[in-house]
Every structure is written in structure tokens, then in C-alpha cells.
Amino acid sequence: MLMSPRNTPLMRYAIICAGVAFALVFAASSAYDAWHQRTQLYDSSERELANLSKVLAGQTARSAQAVDVLLRDTALWYQQQGRRLGPAQVEQALADFASIVPQVAVLTIVDKEGVQRYRSAPVTHETIVVSDRPYFLEQKERADAGTYVSDPIVARSTRQRGFVLSRRINDAQGGFAGVVAALITLDQLRSAFDGIDFGSHTEMHVVLMDGTPLIRIMMNGGGEPSDIRDFSLSLLEGQSASARRLIDGRHKVVAGASVVGRPILIYLVRDEVEVLYAWSTETRNMVLRTLVLALCILAAVWLAIRQLKRLECHEEALSLSEQRYALAMEAANEGHAEWDIVNDTVYLSPRWRDMHFLPANLEITFAQLRERVQTHPDDRAYLQTAMDDHLRGKTPFLDVDYRMKDPQGGWPWIQARGRVHRDAAGAPIRFYWTTTDISHRKAAEAEKIQLEAQLQHARHLESLGTMAGGIAHDFNNILGAILGYGEMAQRATPSGTPVARYLDRVMQAGQRAKGLVRRIIDFSRSGYGDKSPIAVQPVVEEALVLLQPALREGLQLLPQLAAPRASIVGEVSQIHQIVMNLCTNAIAAIEGSGTVTVSLTREPLLHSQACCLGVLPPGDYVRLQVRDTGRGMDKRTLDRAFDPFFTTRPVGEGAGLGLSVVHGLVTDLGGGIDVKTTPGQGSEFTIWIPSPGEFEATQTQQTVATTLGQGEVIMVVDDEPALVELLEESLATLGYEPVGYTSSEKALQALRSNVTRFDVVLTDQQLPGMSGTELVTQMRLLHPSLPAILMTGHGGEGLESRIRDAEINAVMYKPVLAADLAACIARVLQASRLRSSITTDISGL
């Protein structure tokens, strides 16, 4: 019978429906058989694991009970006998007790202070204190605590991880006398279960009641252990329970049992791979038979569905790839763009448009884009050249930095990286590039360059200071001889004569040279002095009074002092020199008439502040400001303003040390300097000095009477013969008997020859071989009460500490004048006689 074409679709539909129905019935029957078999296998596995976990829990309970018995017997033995035995006997007994129970790694006895007194196994530590351990605190506070099981800890004696079982030790009156503790390491506990075959793909977990893991054992499965923290069973004392759970994304059969009387749970976890191994094989064969039977009927449908799934997977993968790319660009804070060179169309991402301050949904050509983007004039040609070179193939890729103008008038930095795509003939067809905002990086680079320049400047000043200090020392010796002999010549020359007038001019020049050397020494920071709180405003007022006579006609000095109680920690001379140098420079910068304004205020800083020289941390500061209406400075002059010997004045009108000395003094006081200047409009110097608070200035008057000597013998030590000769003549004129030496070794030998001959030693610090402080230290070994005066012009680093260690009685700065020398020797001799008188009175008592 022929089938009409009209019935062909109906027959095809009927055959397909029949085949589908047969396949579904057969598949349903097979699925039911597989499900029934699978259920039986799961139930069998659950019963097996539940029984095994219960057995393991019982075995663990018996092991814990054995440890409990061991602790109870050990505590009783120690109460009755162990106290009377020696340490070696007690530790041997503990070792014997611990060997009975193999699970115990270390058996210890802790006294009531928490110190481990006895151990069954020796350790490298001398003393181990466990007074902070929870088990010790529990046994100490509770007399009925019984056996306490701790959480997992790292033992201090063995450095092994485990947990401690402990019992209380009582004394004869029932009071707390200590703890006996047994350490069961997790490795030992693990070894007790290693010999048990749980079956392949089976895990054993031993955890505490709160879920803290103790032991994990894998059987023939490898891989990572299952995470059972979310698995929860209600376990009764001595009972077991089992269930099927989805753990770590895999189906598991889990059985658990609690250890009787202990806060420990034992879980056995078996992967369904092991449970359903035989079932999987049989089911696989059944599925294959079903598939072979249904393949002929469902081939077309299966192929269609398979193709559809492929299309869906491809679309999903494409969507996911686009999402990943978009998220990656967003995370990198980058914009991306594409130029279709053939069609001259441009795609700009939202981030790219934001970086270049362009509106959204902008459709323009590449040439129009160039006109719309506002590139910095200095970068426009460079960017164009880099783009053209890459399009022509001269560079492998585009990598260029340029600046864009933002709506506020700023110029943020942009980094562009891109690559062109070419056709087979090498002609460019598409260009892709990304942009990144690198303004922060550029700012950091500029700040780094500025800090490096400041560091180089500081090093330059430090090296110049070291050189200046050395020069000052040598010049001090020469100047000392000039002033000393000039002073003696003045006394020996009748007044009113031309020679006296010439000598007056020599001494005046010498005094100016002395002030110049003092400036050099201050710049090199080689001077020293005791720093103390001082009121700043009175010192500034005194300096301004001294400056008044030096003002030219048409110049005004305007003080604006508003900090009468502001103080700093330093020396009066430091503030005096800062004010004098700044004001002198301000006066010299004014040509003709003008004003110099000096203001003083007390200012708090809540945040760190960067200055031209230094960074100020938050705190209270004294702010000294000197403003002038002079000629100002350009950038080149400002960069060198604080260099030593740099000056813009004509030759002979300035040494160029004023601002260098100011810089050294402010740095020594822990402050900073800020300068604002404009050529033709004047300069403003602001000095910031840390202030400890307010201070009430007091006026003190000190008068020192000049006293002639009474024939006291003065030892003079200096490596310059001319200075030794000068000091000898000056001291002889003052009524002393001087004895000069040009080396420290000769002076020390003279003191050894006659210890009681000299009343005072006057020594220079810079001596060849042995310094002045070292010489005084050696002399004090021979004559402990010998007064010592140190002369110095440049002491170098650490001089102040060396002076304290040598117990120098007085310090004088070179060059030394006769009047100052007389006052200093008289003061030292008077103090020495007073000490001797007090010592004599005490010995008489």
C-alpha cells in the first residue's frame, strides 16, 4: 500500500512519536532500576560508615579514659609520694607512667604558679610557664573541674600541635597545688588511625564540638579533604548518625559519632565515587544500550538540539568575553578607542571621552577628533609626529605622554599606547589605542626631582660647612696672635701718638675679623652651647635697637612684634644673629628709600607644611618674618641665596655668609625657612622655629670682677708657639706664673714630674696626637682636682659630650682677649678653692 504524500508528514510524525514514546518508557524503566539500586547502595554505605564511626568513637573514648586514669593515678601518686622525691626520680616516674599509654607524648607536672617543674621527656627550654593556658586556669579556679580537655594548642615544650588533658593536684589541706597534664599530639592521634582501612575515597575527620578540626585522614583518594564546617548533626551521647550531604560541590555520605564524655566528634566521609562505583558501571552500560536503541530514532532531534546548544554556548562565551574586557578596562581606569582607517570612523569608549572632556555619543572623523581634542601646545607636534611615525611603520607601537586641558584650566597628563593593524599588503586599516590618566605619577616624579634637589643642596651646604669650620680653626690661631699682641702693643704705646692710632685701627679690623670667623663657625655648626627656653621678643627688640643707627636716610625699620611670651629652646645669640643677618640683607637690598618690616607671631600648624628649606611637622611655632621693599630676587639668585660666600653686593661690601649662617642656625633649632620674592617688588623671609610654649622673660645682670693673680702657676698648652708665647706674656702681666708647652706629651710629662706644681691647666682642644679633652682626662688620673680650661675655635662633631666626659671647668672661644682670660681664670680658681674648703671641712668632721 502506497502512502500518499499527504500522509507522509503524519506517518513521519507517528513514527517519531512512537519511537520517542518507546525510548521514554525504556529510559524510565532503566532509570527506576538505577534509582532503586542507587538507594540501596547509599543505605548500605550509611550503615557501614555509621557503625565504623561508632567503633572509632568508642576506641577514642577508651583511649581518653586510659589517659584519664593515667592522670588520676599520676596526681594521686604525686600527692602521696612524688613530692618527697628528687627531680630526676620524679621525671623518671613520669616517663614510666607515660610509656603505659602510647597516645601520651609528654606527661608534665605544673606547680601552682604555672611553671612546668617535671616532664617525662627532656626539652631544650630551661623554664616553661603555662599560667596563661586555659587548662591551667580552669584547674586552678575550679576544684571540681575533673579532667579538662583543651582546645588544640602548640605545646611550648615540644613545639608540636595537639591538645592537653589535665587534672588538678591538691595539697594535704585540699588546696590547689598544681596540675598534672598529658600532651596528646595530633601526629600521635593520627598514627592511631592510620592502620584502619576505611575504604578508598573515604575521609576521616576528628573535630571538636565547635567545629575546630583536629585530624584529617584521606584513604587512597588524594586531593584536598572535604570542608565539613557547614555539616551539622545532632549527636547524642554515645550515639551515631549519618546523612547524605552536598559538600564542596560533591555528593558525600557522612556518618558521625561523638566520643562519650569528651567534646570530640568523629566523622567519616565517603565520596559517591566509591559508594556508586559498581552502580555507575552498570548504569553506564544501561545508558549506552538505551542510547544505542534511541539513537536511530532521535538522531535528527539530538543533532538539532546539539547544534542549538553550540550556538548558545558560543553566544554566551562571546558575551562573557565582552563583559570581561569591559570590566578589565574599567578596573585599569583606562579608555580605549578604535579608528577604522578605511571608512574613517572612530569609536571612543566612555572613559576615553571623559579623559579628553568630550560629550557622549560623539560621531566624528579622525581629523575632526584632532581638532576637538585640546592638547597642550608643547605636546601637539610631538603627539602628531609619534602617530605619523607609527602609521608609516617607523615604530612598532605608539607610546606617548601628552597633556589635555580640563574645564578648570588645568593640564592633566595622559599616556597613550596603541598599535596599528595592517592588511596583507602592509597598508594600515585599523588603529587601536588605550589611554591612562598618569597625572598622579607625573606629580610624584616632579616631587621626587624636587626632593633630590633639596637633598643635593643640603649635602652641598654640609660639605661647605665642614670646609669652613676647618678654615676657621686655622684662622683663629692666626687671629689670636694678632689680637693678643695688638692688645699688648696698645698697653705699651702712649695714647695720642700715631702708633697708638694705627694700633687702634688694627684692633678694630681684628674685631671685625673675629666676628667674621664667628659667623663661619656658626655656619659650620661646630660651635656648642647649652640650649634652654628663651623668650624671643626681647632678643628681637634688642637686635632692632642695634640696627637703628645703621639705617640710611630714607629707610624705615617697622617692628610688628606680637608675641611677648613666645619662646624657643636655643641660645640668645642664635636669635640675635638670625635677626641681624636677615635685616642687614634686607637693608642692603633697598636702593634709596624703603621699609623693612619685622613681624613676630606665635602660630600653630595643624598639618605638615613644606617650606623652601625644610618640612614642618604639626605643632606650635614662632614665626619671624622680615619683609623689604627692595629689588627682590630672580629664580637663579634664589636657588643660590643660601650658599656660603654667594652675594650679589659689590666686591668689599659683603662676605656672603649672612643667609648661610641663618640656614645653619634655623636647621640647628629644628625649624624651616620660606622665601617669597618677586624681582623689583622685594622679598619676604619667613623663619619657623618650634616653640615649647609661652615663657616669661627675666632680666638678669651678671658682673664679673677682673682679679689679678697671686703668683699661681698656670700650665699653657698649644701647638702654635706664637700663641704659647703670647699667653705666657699675658698671664705674666695678669700676675700669674705661666709655663708653656707646645705638645700634649711634654705637658703630661711635666705634670708627672711634679704633680702639685700647677694650679690651673689652660689647653687648646686641637692638638696633634692627643686632643685637649684627652690631655685633661690623663692629667686627672695624676691630679684629680686640677682645674682645667679648654680653648677652642672649631671643636668638630661631639665636642660637647667630650667636654662633659673630661669634666672641663670652663670653655673659652678663640681668639681669647686678656680681660676675658683674667675673668675666666679667676672664676675657676675661686671655684677650686671653694671645693677644697668644703672637702677640708668634711674631712675635719
Side-chain angles (χ1 to χ4, degrees):
M1 178 179 177
L2 297 176
M3 188 175 298
S4 64
R6 183 171 30 183
N7 296 329
T8 300
L10 183 61
M11 182 63 71
R12 186 186 308 116
Y13 178 75
I15 293 173
I16 292 175
C17 289
V20 171
F22 177 77
L24 291 175
V25 171
F26 184 79
S29 176
S30 301
Y32 175 77
D33 293 339
W35 172 80
H36 184 67
Q37 184 181 6
R38 185 175 182 273
T39 302
Q40 289 181 334
L41 288 173
Y42 262 119
D43 293 341
S44 175
S45 181
E46 286 181 6
R47 288 192 298 271
E48 178 187 355
L49 293 180
N51 293 332
L52 185 55
S53 64
K54 187 173 182 180
V55 172
L56 294 175
Q59 179 181 344
T60 304
R62 288 190 293 273
S63 299
Q65 185 177 6
V67 176
D68 191 10
V69 172
L70 173 63
L71 293 175
R72 187 183 298 110
D73 293 344
T74 303
L76 183 60
W77 170 81
Y78 184 74
Q79 292 173 4
Q80 297 176 355
Q81 302 178 22
R83 297 176 184 276
R84 297 184 293 273
L85 300 178
Q89 294 173 316
V90 174
E91 291 186 350
Q92 181 59 44
L94 292 180
D96 295 338
F97 292 157
S99 64
I100 299 174
V101 181
Q103 292 87 349
V104 177
V106 180
L107 185 63
T108 63
I109 292 179
V110 181
D111 63 13
K112 63 181 181 180
E113 302 299 332
V115 180
Q116 285 188 6
R117 293 299 182 186
Y118 309 106
R119 296 177 286 269
S120 62
V123 294
T124 57
H125 303 79
E126 294 183 359
T127 301
I128 299 177
V129 180
V130 297
S131 58
D132 58 338
R133 293 293 196 186
Y135 70 85
F136 177 82
L137 298 174
E138 181 73 13
Q139 297 292 355
K140 181 178 181 180
E141 294 174 359
R142 292 183 52 193
D144 57 346
T147 301
Y148 177 80
V149 181
S150 71
D151 291 338
I153 62 173
V154 176
R156 294 172 178 168
S157 58
T158 63
R159 302 301 182 190
Q160 292 178 305
R161 182 173 171 80
F163 54 92
V164 176
L165 279 72
S166 62
R167 286 192 70 89
R168 178 186 175 108
I169 299 176
N170 294 326
D171 55 17
Q173 290 76 27
F176 177 70
V179 176
V180 57
L183 172 65
I184 300 177
T185 65
L186 296 185
D187 293 337
Q188 289 176 317
L189 189 58
R190 187 193 303 275
S191 64
F193 298 108
D194 285 341
I196 302 175
D197 185 6
F198 307 114
S200 60
H201 294 275
T202 304
E203 310 169 20
M204 176 183 174
H205 296 260
V206 180
V207 300
L208 295 177
M209 282 296 187
D210 59 0
T212 303
L214 298 178
I215 299 174
R216 292 179 178 178
I217 299 177
M218 302 288 294
M219 294 299 295
N220 305 325
E224 294 293 331
S226 299
D227 186 359
I228 63 170
R229 287 176 295 181
D230 297 333
F231 176 69
S232 176
L233 288 176
S234 299
L235 297 177
L236 302 177
E237 189 73 10
Q239 294 183 347
S240 62
S242 61
R244 278 170 267 179
R245 291 288 186 273
L246 184 66
I247 301 176
D248 297 336
R250 297 176 63 87
H251 289 283
K252 309 278 186 178
V253 177
V254 184
S258 64
V259 178
V260 178
R262 307 298 174 194
I264 299 175
L265 302 178
I266 296 179
Y267 290 110
L268 292 178
V269 183
R270 182 170 294 171
D271 200 298
E272 69 174 0
V273 174
E274 173 66 16
V275 176
L276 303 179
Y277 178 76
W279 175 86
S280 299
T281 303
E282 180 62 26
T283 303
R284 191 181 302 112
N285 295 332
M286 182 173 57
V287 171
L288 288 175
R289 291 193 299 269
T290 303
L291 288 176
V292 170
L293 181 64
L295 184 61
C296 297
I297 304 172
L298 305 177
V301 177
W302 180 80
L303 288 175
I305 296 175
R306 185 169 179 269
Q307 185 65 21
L308 182 61
K309 284 191 74 70
R310 283 185 176 179
L311 292 176
E312 291 177 352
C313 290
H314 289 165
E315 291 179 358
E316 184 179 355
L318 179 60
S319 176
L320 182 61
S321 176
E322 291 176 351
Q323 292 177 4
R324 287 175 177 171
Y325 177 73
L327 291 174
M329 296 299 292
E330 182 179 355
N333 197 23
E334 293 182 351
H336 61 284
E338 177 185 349
W339 175 28
D340 186 346
I341 302 176
V342 177
N343 300 316
D344 196 16
T345 59
V346 179
Y347 166 76
L348 306 174
S349 71
R351 179 57 182 156
W352 199 100
R353 292 195 299 269
D354 292 342
M355 287 184 183
H356 295 78
F357 311 102
L358 297 176
N361 302 322
L362 185 66
E363 296 183 2
I364 54 177
T365 64
F366 190 76
Q368 294 171 338
L369 179 64
R370 283 181 172 176
E371 295 298 326
R372 292 289 299 270
V373 173
Q374 299 185 28
T375 312
H376 195 280
D378 296 341
D379 302 336
R380 190 173 296 122
Y382 169 65
L383 179 61
Q384 179 67 40
T385 302
M387 174 71 79
D388 294 341
D389 289 345
H390 180 59
L391 292 177
R392 295 190 184 99
K394 294 182 179 180
T395 57
F397 51 85
L398 176 70
D399 191 350
V400 62
D401 299 343
Y402 58 93
R403 286 164 286 181
M404 295 297 306
K405 185 176 182 179
D406 60 19
Q408 291 75 31
W411 295 96
W413 279 92
I414 304 295
Q415 181 183 44
R417 292 180 176 178
R419 187 183 294 274
V420 69
H421 179 63
R422 304 179 185 274
D423 59 12
I429 56 176
R430 284 184 181 273
F431 178 66
Y432 307 90
W433 77 99
T434 62
T435 55
T436 307
D437 189 343
I438 59 172
S439 301
H440 294 293
R441 191 183 76 188
K442 288 291 186 179
E445 291 175 356
E447 184 179 1
K448 178 183 177 182
I449 293 174
Q450 182 181 5
L451 292 175
E452 288 176 350
Q454 292 180 358
L455 177 61
Q456 176 124 15
H457 185 66
R459 289 176 176 172
H460 178 60
L461 291 179
E462 183 180 0
S463 61
L464 289 176
T466 303
M467 180 187 70
I471 295 174
H473 169 258
D474 293 336
F475 189 63
N476 253 333
N477 291 334
I478 300 173
L479 188 60
I482 293 174
L483 291 177
Y485 283 112
E487 190 178 23
M488 295 175 64
Q490 276 185 319
R491 290 196 300 267
T493 304
S495 59
T497 63
V499 176
R501 188 172 64 255
Y502 301 154
L503 288 175
D504 291 341
R505 298 293 181 268
V506 170
M507 293 300 293
Q508 291 174 3
Q511 290 294 339
R512 288 197 297 271
K514 179 180 178 181
L516 178 60
V517 173
R518 187 73 259 164
R519 280 179 160 188
I520 297 175
I521 293 175
D522 289 335
F523 165 73
S524 67
R525 298 194 299 272
S526 62
Y528 59 90
D530 294 330
K531 294 182 180 180
S532 60
I534 60 172
V536 181
Q537 183 161 316
V539 182
V540 177
E541 292 172 347
E542 179 184 348
L544 297 181
V545 169
L546 294 177
L547 283 169
Q548 286 291 345
L551 295 178
R552 304 189 306 273
E553 183 178 357
L555 287 181
Q556 285 185 326
L557 187 61
L558 304 178
Q560 296 178 356
L561 309 181
R565 301 186 62 185
S567 69
I568 66 165
V569 177
E571 299 179 64
V572 172
S573 61
Q574 292 176 311
I575 300 298
H576 193 276
Q577 289 190 57
I578 291 174
V579 175
M580 294 292 288
N581 286 328
L582 290 179
C583 291
T584 301
N585 279 354
I587 293 171
I590 299 175
E591 298 176 356
S593 61
T595 59
V596 176
T597 305
V598 180
S599 62
L600 182 70
T601 58
R602 187 166 177 263
E603 300 287 342
L605 291 182
L606 301 180
H607 306 285
S608 298
Q609 177 175 312
C611 298
C612 295
L613 296 176
V615 177
L616 304 175
D620 291 333
Y621 288 86
V622 171
R623 186 182 69 175
L624 174 66
Q625 203 170 65
V626 177
R627 236 176 15 255
D628 65 71
T629 58
R631 55 180 174 269
M633 295 180 286
D634 56 18
K635 186 177 184 305
R636 182 179 178 184
T637 304
L638 179 60
D639 291 339
R640 298 193 58 194
F642 293 92
D643 287 355
F645 306 109
F646 173 77
T647 180
T648 57
R649 303 185 204 174
V651 176
E653 292 189 13
L657 288 175
L659 292 181
S660 300
V661 171
V662 170
H663 175 265
L665 294 173
V666 173
T667 301
D668 184 61
L669 292 171
I673 304 176
D674 215 355
V675 183
K676 295 180 181 179
T677 180
T678 303
Q681 298 183 18
S683 302
E684 179 183 271
F685 288 80
T686 304
I687 308 298
W688 299 83
I689 303 176
S691 173
E694 295 186 344
F695 178 76
E696 186 68 36
T698 57
Q699 300 293 331
T700 59
Q701 297 291 334
Q702 292 184 355
T703 58
V704 179
T706 302
T707 306
L708 298 178
Q710 302 297 325
E712 292 89 346
V713 180
I714 309 297
M715 174 184 285
V716 179
V717 186
D718 199 301
D719 58 335
E720 289 287 340
L723 290 181
V724 174
E725 182 180 350
L726 170 64
L727 289 172
E728 285 180 333
E729 292 187 18
S730 297
L731 290 172
T733 304
L734 294 173
Y736 299 102
E737 181 184 344
V739 181
Y741 300 94
T742 56
S743 71
S744 53
E745 290 78 8
K746 292 180 180 179
L748 188 61
Q749 182 61 38
L751 185 64
R752 288 197 185 99
S753 301
N754 190 347
V755 175
T756 61
R757 178 185 178 186
F758 301 99
D759 298 296
V760 178
V761 57
L762 178 65
T763 177
D764 184 25
Q765 168 62 11
Q766 298 291 335
L767 296 174
M770 186 185 303
S771 66
T773 52
E774 293 174 343
L775 175 62
V776 172
T777 302
Q778 293 296 324
M779 287 183 171
R780 290 282 171 76
L781 298 177
L782 302 173
H783 192 338
S785 61
L786 178 64
I789 301 174
L790 185 71
M791 297 182 299
T792 181
H794 172 69
E797 295 291 336
L799 177 60
E800 186 174 354
S801 61
R802 293 195 296 272
I803 290 174
R804 286 196 305 268
D805 295 340
E807 298 181 359
I808 301 296
N809 298 88
V811 179
M812 300 191 68
Y813 293 102
K814 287 185 175 182
V816 179
L817 299 180
D820 298 333
L821 181 62
C824 182
I825 295 177
R827 186 172 60 252
V828 170
L829 285 173
Q830 183 179 2
S832 176
R833 295 188 185 102
L834 180 61
R835 284 195 301 270
S836 300
S837 175
I838 294 174
T839 304
T840 304
D841 293 341
I842 293 175
S843 61
L845 293 176

